[in-house]
Amino acid sequence: MRPDESSRGPGPQGSPAEGREADPPARSVRPLALATALVAVLVAVPALPAAPSWLERLSRLVTGSPLAPAHALALGLALALVARGVLLLRRAAWYGLVVLIALGLLAVVTGEDPLWRLPLLGAVLGGLWLERDRFPVRPHHERVRTALKTGALLVVAAIAVSLVFGGVSVRSVGAVAAGLGSTGAPLDGASWLPGLLGLAGAAGLLVLVTTLLAPDPSPPPGDEPERRRVAALVAHPGSDTLAPFALRRDKAYVFSADGRAAIGYRVLFGVAVAGGDPVGDPASHAAAVQEFLAMCRAAGWRPAVLGASDELLPAWGRVRTIGFGDEVVIEPGAFTLTGRRMRNVRQAVQRTENAGVTSEIVAERDLAPELRGRLLDVASRSLGGTAERGFSMNLDELLTGYHPGAVVAIAYDEDKEPIAFQRYVTAGQGISLDAMRRVPGGPNGVNERLIVEMIEYAAERGHGVVSLNFAAFRELLDNDERGVLEKAGYQALHLLDPWIAVESLYLFNKKFRPSYKPRNVVFRSWSDIVLLAAALLTLEFGRTRAARPAAEPLTEPVHHLGR
């Protein structure tokens, strides 16, 4: 790995899409977040055992009236969440602070709090009003709807319980708000009821705050018109070898303002993960990146990229990067089986010829239904019955003919039964390996044979590059001079290889004497690393959509194969 803990300078700027929130001002909101966190600590003071008197006096500056310990703790926790929301530019956090100050003013006006708090609260409210434009992340309508339903359910349940157990009286109904609030006022009837209502109110408050401060839910995948637009961009000569994987059915899309570039992404755990570089015209890649970042700010998502190339890293601005491996690429025009260095590949191909293996290359959309079924059986046996998985260098819809320009290299045994296949998809710069499946116990060298024939096939059709597998941790595996940490990492990869196949795949790729294209994980901050890791692992090892009969295929790229 190549951790890069230095921040990168800002890249080219693009204009935001029409109707989208403008970029937040450059001034930091950290002072306001810090002040809110300090208030949260002071509010929670009554919950601290044996707090010093001076600290209690400071607490009264922000609370006015004394709070019960349980309510102080709940309100302090809620304000801590609001402080974090301020740091994340959530408009709901701003609303929460305004409502809190307004309630304090109401308490002063009604005589519950001392009059001297009036100018202090008024000044704070005025300052918050001036800062309102610094919070562009508005709560999603689904979050607001959920919060309203939760609040209404809580109030109805509290009223019902207070009426049943607290005695049917005006006083009991009127005291519900106090029971759910900070005072824990007594009710007629059951003595345990105020504590129960206070606990329910505290839990409900935390749920409401968490809901309103949450980022937007995951968007639905792109619809067919969007996917057709992306398919045309994938065919652009400037799209790199990861571009075809933007066409996965589970990805949503954001386009540059001029529509000449796009980014495919998914959102998990509040992290919006882009799959590789933008597709389309390289001149619009930076604009697509800016659109993606603006969208993430407006939705409250943490932006990240899985598989970014080194060339486009400056466009992402001040970010953190981790080089997690290399894409294996071969130039068909320069590839040859001659020479001592290619002896292993040459011998592997010869073994398959001696075993009577034959092969063919077919456009996926031209597969006969009967052959398709036999190939899907090969895929199932190859995976041992497990599901198709992957995100950054994997497509879905295996062998359906849905994805444009997909071509399948098939190997048959002496009885003309398919024993292996590889699917490749087209991009502007060449073709990329998507799936490589072989039945257990099949002849050795079949995968090498199909790769060699696919390279020759691409060379005949003028493709500049063939992208093969991904070599994770290549620098660690390729380095003979390892330090203590590197040795430990290498041993871990070696021991885990039967399950993750990192080292064996690296050794397989190395036989072809390829070139390597570094790929990076890009993310905003090291504070995002836990959620980022959870999102990336889920994406890479989650199930992909099962194959099904294809609808009308997408528009074929200009340089598609199989025609």
Side-chain angles (χ1 to χ4, degrees):
M1 298 179 68
R2 306 183 308 280
D4 179 5
E5 300 189 13
S6 62
S7 297
R8 301 183 181 274
Q13 300 295 312
S15 55
E18 184 178 355
R20 181 165 296 156
E21 294 286 349
D23 288 352
R27 283 190 303 144
S28 174
V29 296
R30 290 183 179 179
L32 181 57
L34 182 61
T36 305
L38 179 60
V39 170
V41 172
L42 293 176
V43 166
V45 164
L48 301 177
S53 58
W54 64 268
L55 192 57
E56 292 181 351
R57 289 193 296 270
L58 283 178
S59 177
R60 292 289 297 274
L61 287 175
V62 297
T63 62
S65 302
L67 302 179
H71 296 97
L73 180 60
L75 191 56
L77 288 174
L79 279 171
L81 293 174
V82 170
R84 181 176 178 276
V86 169
L87 200 59
L88 297 176
L89 306 180
R90 302 288 199 266
R91 179 59 67 95
W94 183 84
Y95 287 142
L97 292 176
V98 169
V99 168
L100 187 64
I101 299 301
L103 290 176
L105 290 172
L106 181 62
V108 172
V109 172
T110 58
E112 295 184 13
D113 284 353
L115 190 61
W116 61 264
R117 286 169 51 84
L118 185 62
L120 175 63
L121 293 173
V124 173
L125 183 62
L128 284 175
W129 181 257
L130 294 176
E131 299 294 316
R132 64 189 184 278
D133 292 335
R134 298 173 64 190
F135 298 89
V137 185
R138 300 179 181 274
H140 192 271
H141 62 87
E142 290 186 11
R143 305 297 192 201
V144 175
R145 188 183 301 116
T146 300
L148 290 176
K149 289 180 178 178
T150 302
L153 180 63
L154 184 65
V155 171
V156 170
I159 292 175
V161 170
S162 66
L163 290 176
V164 172
F165 296 100
V168 181
S169 68
V170 173
R171 180 186 175 197
S172 65
V173 176
V176 169
L180 292 173
S182 60
T183 61
L187 299 177
D188 296 332
S191 59
W192 48 264
L193 190 54
L196 177 64
L197 288 177
L199 180 61
L205 177 63
L206 293 178
V207 170
L208 293 177
V209 171
T210 302
T211 300
L212 290 173
L213 293 178
D216 287 4
S218 302
D223 56 23
E224 290 307 300
E226 285 182 318
R227 291 169 57 77
R228 291 181 183 279
R229 290 178 63 190
V230 174
L233 296 176
V234 167
H236 191 283
S239 292
D240 79 357
T241 45
L242 296 193
F245 306 113
L247 291 172
R248 287 172 56 100
R249 279 186 176 271
D250 56 3
K251 289 187 177 181
Y253 302 106
V254 59
F255 294 84
S256 61
D258 59 9
R260 297 175 61 85
I263 291 176
Y265 68 96
R266 281 191 64 189
V267 178
L268 281 177
F269 312 121
V271 181
V273 182
D277 292 343
V279 301
D281 187 351
S284 298
H285 282 185
V289 168
Q290 295 306 314
E291 289 293 307
F292 178 73
L293 295 176
M295 177 192 64
C296 289
R297 284 191 292 268
W301 298 327
R302 294 169 170 85
V305 191
L306 179 59
S309 66
D310 285 352
E311 294 80 7
L312 203 66
L313 288 180
W316 290 98
R318 300 182 63 84
V319 292
R320 307 294 185 181
T321 64
I322 296 176
F324 72 111
D326 299 82
E327 182 185 1
V328 180
V329 294
I330 294 175
E331 296 182 5
F335 181 80
T336 177
L337 284 178
T338 61
R340 181 178 179 84
R341 299 178 65 190
M342 298 300 295
R343 182 178 59 183
N344 289 338
V345 178
R346 195 165 58 246
Q347 290 175 343
V349 173
Q350 186 62 49
R351 283 196 299 270
T352 65
E353 294 176 352
N354 295 339
V357 173
T358 57
S359 62
E360 67 172 334
I361 297 176
V362 184
E364 186 182 72
R365 66 190 305 181
D366 293 338
L367 288 174
E370 186 269 341
L371 178 57
R372 175 180 178 272
R374 292 157 68 191
L375 293 178
L376 288 175
D377 179 66
V378 170
S380 178
R381 293 163 62 190
S382 174
L383 295 173
T386 60
E388 299 278 351
R389 304 179 189 278
F391 175 74
S392 58
M393 292 186 67
N394 294 89
L395 271 177
D396 50 8
E397 301 282 349
L398 183 63
L399 303 180
T400 62
Y402 183 83
H403 290 296
V407 64
V408 183
I410 309 169
Y412 301 90
D413 63 12
E414 291 179 299
D415 299 324
K416 302 304 179 183
E417 284 294 322
I419 55 175
F421 73 89
Q422 296 172 4
R423 178 168 78 164
Y424 292 79
V425 284
T426 59
Q429 295 179 2
I431 57 176
S432 298
L433 174 64
D434 167 42
M436 184 166 62
R437 303 288 180 258
R438 181 174 72 95
V439 296
N444 291 328
V446 170
N447 283 330
E448 290 91 334
R449 163 90 170 264
L450 293 181
I451 287 175
V452 169
E453 294 192 358
M454 197 65 218
I455 293 172
E456 295 172 351
Y457 188 92
E460 293 171 0
R461 284 151 183 81
H463 292 280
V465 65
V466 174
S467 171
L468 298 179
N469 302 292
F470 184 78
F473 309 108
R474 183 188 68 86
E475 290 190 349
L476 177 62
L477 295 170
D478 205 25
N479 187 3
D480 294 329
E481 299 180 1
R482 303 184 182 97
V484 176
L485 292 178
E486 287 83 0
K487 288 181 179 179
Y490 173 77
Q491 288 299 324
L493 290 177
H494 183 72
L495 292 174
L496 292 172
D497 195 66
W499 294 276
I500 61 177
V502 169
E503 184 179 18
S504 57
L505 186 59
Y506 161 74
L507 294 175
F508 174 83
N509 292 327
K510 188 177 180 179
K511 292 188 296 186
F512 294 91
R513 306 299 173 183
S515 300
Y516 296 98
K517 184 173 184 177
R519 293 288 179 175
N520 304 274
V521 175
V522 176
F523 55 102
R524 182 184 59 181
S525 167
W526 289 107
S527 63
D528 298 340
I529 196 67
V530 174
L531 287 175
L532 175 68
L536 296 185
L537 289 174
T538 302
L539 288 173
E540 282 296 330
F541 295 102
R543 297 169 64 98
T544 64
R545 198 164 181 165
R548 58 184 177 80
E552 180 186 355
L554 292 175
T555 303
E556 290 285 342
V558 175
H559 300 294
H560 64 271
L561 296 176
R563 289 289 184 270

